[in-house]
Amino acid sequence: MAFAVALLLSLPARGEGNLITLKQAYSLAMKRSPSIQMLKERVRQAEADRYKAWSPLKPTAAFQGTFTHFDQEIALDVPSIDFKTMQFLGTESIVIQKQNQFAFNILARLPLFVGPAYQGIGIAKKQVRLAHMSQIRSSQDFLLQVAAAYYAVVSQKEVVKALENKVTVDRKHLTAAKARFTVGQSARSVVLRADLELTQDEQKLRVARNSLKAARRQLGILIGTPGKADVQRPAEPSNPGGGSNRALVDAALQRRFDFKATRVAIDMARQSRKAFWWGFLPTLDLTWMYRWSEAAGFADQQGMWSLVFTLNVPIYDGGARYADLRRSQAQIREANEQQRALAQKIESDIVKLTSDVESANAGVVSARKALELAKTTASDIEASFEAGVTTQLDVLDANQRPVSY
């Protein structure tokens, strides 16, 4: 189904004249629907989270500048001695703390080993895959809505066309009934019956036209076109059968992206449990810091740097990690049960839909034969009426039947 969606996106935007084909309706819906755009943004969010998952393993750097005003300046008078001659040369004032003092720090940190972060990267990658699968599955469901709306317009157009033809026939029969009543060849009840059928069919035609107008607007909303959208009848779709229910279920489990997503969800739950186990391992960081201050102090240096290795060994955290492990075990079991439940639902849907398709195919065959019989009967009665064998009421009844099919 994914390659079909990609193929539809390459189709032209509009059809011949004002008509839109089913494939073009799919293409327009994929390009203009806000629901599809929302799904794309969710994928981008998952990709951003995957990029963020690398941050615990990347180096960081920070700069901090300070200005401090102390209540007083602190300085020490240190004697100065010439050690060669051992003569006292006087005193030298060393400022330990200036009253107004500037300083800044530069700190760089490099994580050397952070166990849970490695599993977090794997989980983030699976979340991107999950978002892609959810996008494809939701797009398929949305395109199914577009197809339903499209066929609703096609069906309603057929209803309007049939009723228009019926109204034309009703008017002809009403005119004929009035003419025969004028010359005394038929009763007034025949005229009233013909007029009633015309009135009823005209009302049905108005309702059908309103329904068609609403169906066109509904389709226009789904495909993102202003106003109503007109369609042309597509080719009859092929029968999806041709195999046993078990074969159809197996094919669905291989192709449906919502079922594939349950497998990814199970893998994510297992990797989350692994990440919690890695949380028991120590972490190792390397930190480099440079500090500069206006006051040189005893070392007579305004700047100094240091390199620090930090080993953090978790010993006890109140039992939070053990609770996380228990929770991850429950999440794995839940993901497995969700997969089983979806598999059962898919099998149940296929059994029901297969039965519905078989019943619909049988109904179509029966309806076509009934329609052919009704048309033939109406034609025969019309001929009999012209020959004076049947009445006009028989003609009205016979012409009413084909519309019901």
Side-chain angles (χ1 to χ4, degrees):
M1 191 66 181
F3 71 90
V5 173
L7 177 61
L8 295 179
L9 291 176
S10 63
L11 294 174
R14 297 303 299 264
E16 293 293 330
N18 295 323
L19 297 180
I20 298 176
T21 66
L22 180 58
K23 290 184 178 181
Q24 289 166 347
Y26 286 157
S27 178
L28 289 171
M30 292 295 294
K31 291 178 181 178
R32 300 179 180 179
S33 170
S35 300
I36 299 299
Q37 300 306 317
M38 287 169 53
L39 294 172
K40 292 180 180 179
E41 294 304 324
R42 289 176 184 173
V43 174
R44 294 188 180 100
Q45 292 174 20
E47 291 174 346
D49 291 338
R50 178 182 60 182
Y51 178 81
K52 184 180 178 181
W54 283 92
S55 59
L57 299 177
K58 292 181 178 180
T60 59
F63 172 86
Q64 182 183 42
T66 61
F67 169 78
T68 307
H69 175 76
F70 296 99
D71 58 344
Q72 60 181 339
E73 182 175 282
I74 300 177
L76 295 178
D77 292 332
V78 179
S80 179
I81 301 175
D82 186 352
F83 290 98
K84 292 183 179 180
T85 61
M86 297 304 293
Q87 292 182 352
F88 176 73
L89 302 177
T91 60
E92 180 181 0
S93 179
I94 299 178
V95 177
I96 305 300
Q97 174 183 289
K98 297 181 65 175
Q99 188 171 19
N100 295 311
Q101 183 169 301
F102 289 93
F104 68 83
N105 296 328
I106 299 177
L107 182 69
R109 175 178 171 272
L110 176 63
L112 299 180
F113 180 79
V114 184
Y118 303 105
Q119 301 303 319
I121 293 172
I123 294 173
K125 291 180 179 179
K126 290 181 174 62
Q127 286 175 337
V128 174
R129 290 178 55 197
L130 199 62
H132 276 291
M133 292 177 179
S134 177
Q135 177 192 8
I136 295 173
R137 180 58 187 172
S138 298
S139 298
Q140 292 172 343
D141 291 339
F142 179 73
L143 292 180
L144 185 60
Q145 297 179 19
V146 174
Y150 190 94
Y151 278 101
V153 177
V154 172
S155 176
Q156 204 61 39
K157 286 181 69 175
E158 295 291 335
V159 173
V160 170
K161 182 179 178 181
L163 287 172
E164 287 175 345
N165 293 334
K166 183 61 168 57
V167 167
T168 301
V169 174
D170 290 343
R171 287 172 180 165
K172 184 183 72 171
H173 287 164
L174 178 59
T175 301
K178 287 180 178 179
R180 293 176 67 85
F181 172 72
T182 302
V183 297
Q185 293 183 0
S186 65
R188 184 175 179 82
S189 61
V190 175
V191 177
L192 295 177
R193 170 69 182 275
D195 184 59
L196 175 61
E197 287 200 8
L198 175 60
T199 302
Q200 291 177 338
D201 288 338
E202 285 178 340
Q203 176 62 25
K204 292 178 182 177
L205 179 59
R206 283 192 290 269
V207 173
R209 284 173 174 170
N210 289 334
S211 299
L212 175 59
K213 185 178 180 181
R216 284 172 172 169
R217 288 184 174 177
Q218 181 65 28
L219 177 62
I221 292 172
L222 289 176
I223 65 178
T225 58
K228 58 185 179 180
D230 202 0
V231 303
Q232 63 183 26
R233 186 179 184 88
E236 291 293 330
S238 59
N239 193 332
S244 64
N245 285 340
R246 185 68 259 169
L248 293 175
V249 170
D250 292 340
L253 296 181
Q254 292 177 1
R255 299 175 185 176
R256 284 187 52 161
F257 283 89
D258 52 349
F259 189 78
K260 293 180 180 180
T262 60
R263 297 171 181 167
V264 177
I266 293 174
D267 292 340
M268 286 177 55
R270 290 172 177 170
Q271 195 156 14
S272 295
R273 179 183 62 182
K274 189 181 296 186
F276 292 134
W277 278 115
W278 281 54
F280 288 89
L281 299 177
T283 60
L284 180 62
D285 296 334
L286 172 63
T287 304
W288 176 84
M289 184 179 69
Y290 177 81
R291 176 176 175 81
W292 179 91
S293 176
E294 277 192 297
F298 291 107
D300 196 22
Q301 290 182 352
Q302 291 180 302
M304 60 174 295
W305 64 271
S306 62
L307 194 64
V308 180
F309 287 89
T310 304
L311 180 67
N312 183 16
V313 181
I315 298 177
Y316 183 69
D317 59 356
R321 285 171 295 178
Y322 297 98
D324 289 337
L325 283 172
R326 288 195 296 270
R327 187 171 184 273
S328 66
Q329 291 283 4
Q331 288 175 336
I332 293 174
R333 291 191 295 268
E334 179 187 6
N336 280 302
E337 294 303 321
Q338 285 179 345
Q339 185 183 64
R340 288 183 56 215
L342 181 58
Q344 291 176 354
K345 183 179 183 302
I346 290 174
E347 183 173 6
S348 175
D349 290 343
I350 288 177
V351 171
K352 179 179 181 301
L353 292 174
T354 302
S355 176
D356 292 344
V357 169
E358 292 175 353
S359 300
N361 288 334
V364 168
V365 173
S366 176
R368 284 175 177 171
K369 290 183 178 180
L371 177 59
E372 187 64 28
L373 175 61
K375 288 181 178 180
T376 302
T377 302
S379 178
D380 292 344
I381 292 180
E382 286 272 6
S384 299
F385 174 72
E386 295 294 336
V389 178
T390 59
T391 66
Q392 192 166 13
L393 290 177
D394 295 329
V395 175
L396 294 174
D397 289 335
N399 280 280
Q400 193 69 20
R401 294 170 186 168
V403 180
S404 61
Y405 297 104

